[in-house]
Amino acid sequence: MAVVIKQKEHVTKLQDNIKAQLLASVYNEFFEVIPAFTPSQKAEGYNLRYQVLCQERMLLNPEDYPSEQECDMHDLHAAHCLLVHRPSDMTVGTMRVIFSEGGDHMLPSFALYPTFTDLLDMKYTVELSRLCVSRQMRRRWNDGPYGRVSEGEGMVPEGKRKIPHAALGMFRETLAMLQGRDVTHVCALMEPALAMMLKRLGLHFAAAGPAIDHYGLRQPCYAKISSLLQRVEREKPAIWAFITDNGRLAPD
């Protein structure tokens, strides 16, 4: 019996490795994620945020952004990334990670929901914010505001490829941004659609309290990064391998 169990574990691990390699191969064929360091790169992200938040989803008033760039005070304390669609060479997504600068900069979630202070030490917490995916990546009627998650990300059923979720590379870049920083937790104010999308990718966040009205319904959420990734590894090993670069970006 022990031999049979060991053989099954070996087969399962081999299958997981194949899925991980396929996911990475398909994703890298369609997408590239780059950190936004220069003013022009950041401006490109701000412009995409304006396009998605003001024009496509109408969550923000376009008249408040005459330059057609959606930005705020937190961008000065954030690391940004851009999602590029390789076939068209177009920027189709962006996200930022806001740092508290050792607790000196108030994270927006903590300002809007003071109960976070009872749950987390802001000094060791970052905030995920402004995850935007262009409508061009959400063309199907049921894609939702963040795109649709297909079962078996990157798998090849019946000889056809499934494009992995566009945001996966931005989550991997987030982990790269945190390398060498004393950060243990992540928080966010999430729309129900975003929380559902993340769960389908194996990324589970705990609710910090009741939903609040902030440009629509938002759920204050948080997670310990190491525990978050451990659960992803159990539930979605291929996605874990991709976003952690086979464990290289996972915290010790």
Side-chain angles (χ1 to χ4, degrees):
M1 180 63 71
V3 173
V4 173
I5 293 175
K6 191 171 183 179
Q7 288 177 335
K8 288 183 178 179
E9 290 176 348
H10 176 73
V11 171
T12 299
K13 187 174 182 179
L14 182 61
Q15 291 174 336
D16 288 341
N17 288 338
I18 293 173
K19 290 179 182 178
Q21 292 173 11
L22 180 58
L23 171 59
S25 175
V26 176
Y27 189 93
N28 292 331
E29 178 182 350
F30 285 94
F31 301 111
E32 178 184 13
V33 178
I34 59 174
F37 292 132
T38 68
S40 61
Q41 288 172 327
K42 291 179 181 179
E44 192 168 351
Y46 300 156
N47 183 257
L48 181 64
R49 280 161 45 174
Y50 173 84
Q51 172 191 322
V52 173
L53 299 175
C54 298
Q55 296 181 315
E56 294 179 6
R57 304 196 57 206
M58 295 181 286
L59 294 174
L60 301 176
N61 186 355
E63 295 181 359
D64 293 337
Y65 306 94
S67 65
E68 298 189 353
Q69 294 189 350
E70 191 281 313
C71 56
D72 60 27
M73 60 179 287
H74 301 294
D75 288 309
L76 297 174
H77 304 274
H80 307 260
C81 65
L82 301 175
L83 175 70
V84 178
H85 182 239
R86 288 184 185 272
S88 64
D89 197 32
M90 292 180 59
T91 297
V92 294
T94 186
M95 188 168 68
R96 70 181 180 184
V97 180
I98 307 173
F99 295 92
S100 70
E101 312 291 5
D104 293 333
H105 177 68
M106 177 67 73
L107 297 177
S109 286
F110 280 71
L112 289 167
Y113 201 85
T115 304
F116 265 123
T117 305
D118 299 328
L119 299 169
L120 305 173
D121 187 339
M122 191 171 67
K123 181 178 179 181
Y124 305 107
T125 304
V126 295
E127 180 161 349
L128 295 183
S129 176
R130 293 300 196 267
L131 170 57
C132 294
V133 178
S134 171
R135 183 166 50 196
Q136 293 178 323
M137 295 292 103
R138 302 182 276 110
R139 289 179 175 174
R140 292 184 290 267
W141 69 269
N142 60 343
D143 276 355
Y146 298 100
R148 184 174 60 173
V149 176
S150 300
E151 289 299 320
E153 286 279 313
M155 292 304 292
V156 187
E158 301 176 0
K160 295 182 180 180
R161 293 173 299 176
K162 287 186 177 179
I163 301 176
H165 196 281
L168 283 177
M170 292 193 283
F171 298 138
R172 181 176 60 187
E173 182 61 27
T174 294
L175 291 177
M177 293 172 181
L178 300 183
Q179 295 300 293
R181 295 178 179 265
D182 195 10
V183 173
T184 59
H185 289 74
V186 59
C187 68
L189 290 170
M190 295 188 189
E191 291 180 274
L194 176 56
M196 183 179 297
M197 181 270 282
L198 294 177
K199 286 181 180 179
R200 288 177 177 171
L201 293 173
L203 297 164
H204 296 267
F205 286 74
I212 60 177
D213 185 8
H214 181 65
Y215 302 111
L217 199 63
R218 294 289 188 277
Q219 180 76 57
C221 301
Y222 71 98
K224 184 177 182 180
I225 296 171
S226 58
S227 300
L228 178 76
L229 293 176
Q230 287 167 6
R231 186 166 180 179
V232 178
E233 187 175 15
R234 292 195 304 270
E235 296 184 1
K236 304 281 187 177
I239 289 178
W240 175 87
F242 181 79
I243 65 176
T244 66
D245 192 16
N246 294 308
R248 182 179 66 86
L249 300 176
D252 296 330

